[in-house]
Amino acid sequence: MKRTYTLFQQYTAYALLISFLLQSCNGLGNLSVPSQEEQTAHIKTNPQQLILRTDIQPLANQILTAQGGHAVTLYEEDSTLKADVAINVPQGFSKTYEELQVYIEQGAQLSSLPQLEKKIQERRIQLQLAQKGQPVKVIIYKGAGLAGGGNTKDDGEGQAEIVEEQAADAQEKEEKEESRPNEAVIFCGNPGVGKSALCNSIFQEAKFPSGTSRGQGLTTHHQTHMYKNRLYIDTPGLEDINMREQAAAEIEQALKKGGNYKMVFVIVLDDGRLRQADLNAINIICDAIKTPFEYGLVINKSMQETIDIIIEEGGLGPYLITLHKQPFQTIMLTREERMAAKANVYFEVNENRRKLLDLINNLPASNIQLGKIDIRNFEEKIQQMEEKYIKAMAKLKAQHKQEREEQEVRITKEREEHEAQVKHQGEEYEAKVKEIQAQMQEQQQVADARIEKDRRETENRIRQIQQESEKKQQEAEAKRKNEQEERDSQIKSLQEKIEEKQQIAKAKRKQEKEEQEAQIKKMQEEMEKQRTEEAENKKERKEDKKKQKKEKKKLKTKIKKIRQAAKEKRRKEKEKEKEENDAQIKRLQEQLEERQRAAEAERRREREEAEYRIRRIEQESVDRIRRIQQENQELLKQFRAQQVGQQRSSGAPFAATATGAAIGGGIGGPVGAGVGAFLGFGFDLAKNLF
């Protein structure tokens, strides 16, 4: 009986048939998961039927992670992508498989594969194993691979899936990191000092309530906020008598969360001085901590004028004398008027925020063990600290006054000693001037002749040295030119020999490669012939299947050995040629460098010797001329002073003496002045007598 089908059933059958055909010819898009035996048989019989090769350049010289955490090192050999696989085994063991074939699914995006997360790489890269568990191939899939089932999406949808997987992994990683803080930063201080505003300045948003309050602070319980892997804790203050016990309990609770803490105390200036109530709060909390720790101190809401005065006075040391433990680092933050009497405002990204972040980053973290915070006698402790501070400041002022008085006495004494020394030096100078004046007349006559003689000798010696130096430079230049020509000739000869050897080696390698290709081609022809015979004789092929597999394996082993032997031979020949060329070039370079160093040392020695002789002669001449000129000037000043004194003592009767001295000095210098004065004196004497 003939069965009839409806139109819907016919269309359904056609769709199933088309789907089945597509599964057979459309890559790995809809393959079912094969068993281990089916995978092994498929690799042996149809190695490239479904997994096609593509552009391998993006994967060359890359290390990726395959499914199971195995490290896959990819490299290119003879235009083929191969891989070395290091199996993920316990530490202390090593298991590596080399020269495995790499197959890539058609349409796989290779350029982005090395940048993917390791988890995504493990889903895209899988190992094909043989029956004994040994990997035989590395397969790179377009989608999630065989283990992940079918994948019929196009390339655009696959790329979107990669981006979504990366974003999900990054978000999961960030959430895990944020849930585990590296350390906690706790802010402590009395109400109204600005702890909450400083925390908000770090976050750049109002996470903790801040602003002005009457009678008590806005913070009554400790508050926490996670920011950049740090847990920030804002605590209430101890100064408010009504909230003191609760504040102490909140601080104890905040410091007992465990982990490493960075402690920051915040205080303010009151009329240019620190409030002892703020310092007392620091002492109470620090005394309760039983383990070694450090803390940072922030002086908030400070006027710039006050900061400058404190710096001029030598710093904050005297102001912190009542603290039981000195801070690790102290910073002063300037007051911003825009934040005054306003709620939930904070520093912008400015110098104050930078200082605060630097303090927190530089502050060492400590594992704090806290005892009981003792808030008893809070006001009495403040009064005692005030008295201690007043006494310390009075003592400091007295010490500064004594130091100033001692400094004034020392300056007066040094000034008197300096004046006495200057007076004594003046007397010695006058005696020396008189002694020099007695020698000037004798030296003046021979000075000009000596200067002229020295000048001529110096010029002759300089001219002679310059001639010798030019001659030596010319000889050295000629010598360098000859050496350069010899060196160029040797290098050219050596290069020709190297090129000749390289051409011979290249021709030899080419011949060996042709021989190998011929052998491989012959073997391939034999294999093709065997396949043809196998197709003609199906029954015989089934019976001789085992024998053919053995022969095929032997042929592959033989081809591999031939390739390895040729490769090793080429490598040894290249190494030998390279060693010979390097040794020969090194010997030649050493000889040339030795000659150049010797020539350069000789030229340097001759040049330095000539320059030294010229400098010495020039310096001697300049010093001698300068000394004689100074002596002449001193004699001239002396002689003129004597003449003026004689004119004043003799008056009009010796006017001719002064006139003769002036005329003679203008014509012949000091000697002419003496001669003119002598003639004028004779004229005055004759005039008075007759």
Side-chain angles (χ1 to χ4, degrees), residues 304-316 319 332:
Q304 186 62 46
E305 296 80 2
T306 305
I307 296 175
D308 296 338
I309 292 172
I310 292 174
I311 294 173
E312 290 177 0
E313 291 179 351
L316 287 166
Y319 295 86
M332 300 183 71

Side-chain angles (χ1 to χ4, degrees), residues 216-439:
Q216 65 180 16
L218 293 178
T219 304
T220 58
H221 298 79
H222 76 275
Q223 308 171 88
T224 61
H225 178 66
M226 183 73 69
Y227 180 73
K228 290 189 177 179
N229 245 13
R230 279 179 178 155
L231 181 65
Y232 287 84
I233 307 174
D234 183 18
T235 60
L238 297 174
E239 189 176 12
D240 184 4
I241 189 171
N242 298 322
M243 296 290 296
R244 188 170 296 161
E245 292 184 0
Q246 181 181 348
E250 290 293 329
I251 295 173
E252 290 177 359
Q253 184 180 357
L255 286 172
K256 291 181 179 179
K257 292 182 178 294
N260 293 326
Y261 283 88
K262 290 188 175 184
M263 296 199 64
V264 180
F265 287 97
V266 185
I267 62 177
V268 293
L269 286 169
D270 186 7
D271 293 333
R273 56 173 293 182
L274 300 179
R275 299 194 312 153
Q276 296 303 317
D278 294 342
L279 302 182
N280 185 34
I282 297 176
N283 287 338
I284 290 174
I285 297 174
C286 290
D287 292 343
I289 298 175
K290 306 303 181 183
T291 54
F293 74 101
E294 299 290 346
Y295 70 89
L297 182 60
V298 178
I299 302 177
N300 198 19
K301 305 177 185 179
S302 304
M303 302 299 293
Q304 186 62 46
E305 296 80 2
T306 305
I307 296 175
D308 296 338
I309 292 172
I310 292 174
I311 294 173
E312 290 177 0
E313 291 179 351
L316 287 166
Y319 295 86
L320 305 177
I321 194 170
T322 56
L323 286 177
H324 297 170
K325 178 179 177 61
Q326 294 298 316
F328 176 81
Q329 183 179 351
T330 304
I331 62 173
M332 300 183 71
L333 304 182
T334 56
R335 179 183 181 88
E336 292 191 7
E337 295 299 332
R338 69 176 185 82
M339 298 174 60
K342 292 183 180 179
N344 298 327
V345 292
Y346 45 83
F347 295 135
E348 297 177 351
V349 180
N350 57 12
E351 183 66 15
N352 282 339
R353 184 175 184 271
R354 185 194 64 78
K355 287 183 180 179
L356 182 60
L357 290 175
D358 289 345
L359 170 68
I360 295 173
N361 292 331
N362 296 334
L363 191 64
S366 305
N367 191 351
I368 292 177
Q369 296 181 5
L370 186 70
K372 182 68 176 177
I373 296 179
D374 187 6
I375 59 175
R376 294 174 299 176
N377 303 323
F378 191 86
E379 285 75 13
E380 289 80 355
K381 291 179 181 178
I382 294 175
Q383 185 64 31
Q384 293 174 3
M385 293 174 66
E386 287 283 356
E387 294 174 357
K388 182 179 179 181
Y389 175 75
I390 292 171
K391 291 179 181 179
M393 293 304 294
K395 183 178 179 181
L396 183 64
K397 289 180 180 179
Q399 184 179 355
H400 287 171
K401 183 178 179 181
Q402 183 180 357
E403 290 177 354
R404 285 196 299 270
E405 292 175 353
E406 292 177 355
Q407 187 177 8
E408 290 176 357
V409 172
R410 186 171 59 253
I411 292 172
T412 303
K413 185 178 179 181
E414 291 177 354
R415 183 169 58 250
E416 292 175 353
E417 292 177 353
H418 180 69
E419 291 176 353
Q421 186 178 3
V422 169
K423 184 177 180 181
H424 179 67
Q425 290 178 353
E427 293 174 354
E428 291 181 350
Y429 179 74
E430 291 178 358
K432 189 174 181 180
V433 168
K434 290 179 181 179
E435 182 181 354
I436 293 174
Q437 288 175 353
Q439 300 175 0

Side-chain angles (χ1 to χ4, degrees), residues 466-658:
Q466 289 177 347
Q467 292 176 356
E468 293 177 356
S469 177
E470 291 176 357
K471 184 177 179 181
K472 289 181 178 180
Q473 288 179 357
Q474 292 175 358
E475 293 176 354
E477 185 66 27
K479 187 176 180 181
R480 282 197 303 271
K481 187 175 180 181
N482 293 334
E483 291 177 353
Q484 183 66 30
E485 292 177 354
E486 293 177 359
R487 185 166 62 253
D488 294 342
S489 176
Q490 292 176 354
I491 291 173
K492 185 177 180 181
S493 175
L494 182 60
Q495 289 176 348
E496 291 176 353
K497 291 180 181 179
I498 292 172
E499 290 177 356
E500 184 178 355
K501 289 182 178 180
Q502 290 177 350
Q503 291 177 358
I504 294 171
K506 186 176 180 181
K508 190 175 181 180
R509 288 195 298 271
K510 184 177 180 181
Q511 183 178 359
E512 291 176 352
K513 186 176 180 181
E514 291 176 353
E515 292 176 357
Q516 292 175 2
E517 289 177 352
Q519 291 179 0
I520 292 170
K521 186 176 181 181
K522 184 177 179 181
M523 292 177 183
Q524 290 176 349
E525 291 176 353
E526 292 177 357
M527 291 175 65
E528 187 65 27
K529 185 177 180 181
Q530 291 175 0
R531 290 195 184 109
T532 304
E533 292 175 356
E534 182 182 359
E536 295 175 354
N537 304 309
K538 286 186 178 181
K539 294 181 180 180
E540 294 178 0
R541 179 183 176 186
K542 291 180 180 179
E543 295 174 355
D544 299 337
K545 188 175 182 180
K546 293 183 180 180
K547 184 177 179 180
Q548 289 177 0
K549 286 182 179 179
K550 291 181 180 180
E551 292 177 355
K552 185 178 179 181
K553 188 174 181 181
K554 288 180 181 179
L555 286 173
K556 289 183 178 180
T557 304
K558 187 175 180 181
I559 292 171
K560 185 176 180 181
K561 288 182 179 180
I562 292 171
R563 287 178 175 174
Q564 290 178 349
K567 185 177 180 181
E568 184 66 21
K569 186 177 180 181
R570 289 196 301 271
R571 186 182 63 78
K572 289 181 179 180
E573 290 178 354
K574 288 181 181 178
E575 290 179 354
K576 185 176 180 181
E577 291 178 1
K578 185 178 180 182
E579 289 176 357
E580 293 177 356
N581 295 336
D582 292 343
Q584 191 171 1
I585 292 172
K586 186 176 180 182
R587 286 196 301 271
L588 181 59
Q589 288 178 347
E590 289 176 352
Q591 294 176 1
L592 296 176
E593 290 175 357
E594 185 65 27
R595 292 180 183 176
Q596 289 177 353
R597 284 196 295 270
E600 186 64 24
E602 181 66 22
R603 290 194 298 272
R604 190 184 303 110
R605 186 185 63 79
E606 293 175 354
R607 184 168 60 255
E608 290 176 353
E609 183 178 357
E611 291 176 353
Y612 173 74
R613 291 168 61 187
I614 292 171
R615 286 198 303 271
R616 187 180 62 184
I617 294 170
E618 290 177 348
Q619 187 63 34
E620 290 176 356
S621 302
V622 171
D623 292 342
R624 188 176 300 170
I625 293 170
R626 187 181 296 115
R627 187 170 58 252
I628 293 172
Q629 289 176 351
Q630 291 176 355
E631 292 173 355
N632 291 341
Q633 290 176 0
E634 290 293 334
L635 287 174
L636 180 59
K637 290 179 182 179
Q638 229 171 34
F639 187 77
R640 287 178 178 173
Q642 291 176 359
Q643 294 299 323
V644 172
Q646 291 176 2
Q647 289 176 8
R648 291 176 180 175
S649 61
S650 60
F654 297 97
T657 303

Side-chain angles (χ1 to χ4, degrees), residues 19-32 42 48-52 104-107 141-142 146 150-152:
S19 176
F20 178 76
L21 293 174
L22 289 175
Q23 283 183 341
S24 301
C25 63
N26 196 25
L28 291 176
N30 253 338
L31 288 176
S32 59
H42 182 77
Q48 296 182 0
Q49 182 178 358
L50 296 177
I51 304 174
L52 303 177
I104 304 169
E105 182 181 0
Q106 187 176 10
Y141 291 100
K142 175 175 63 175
L146 290 173
N151 181 16
T152 58

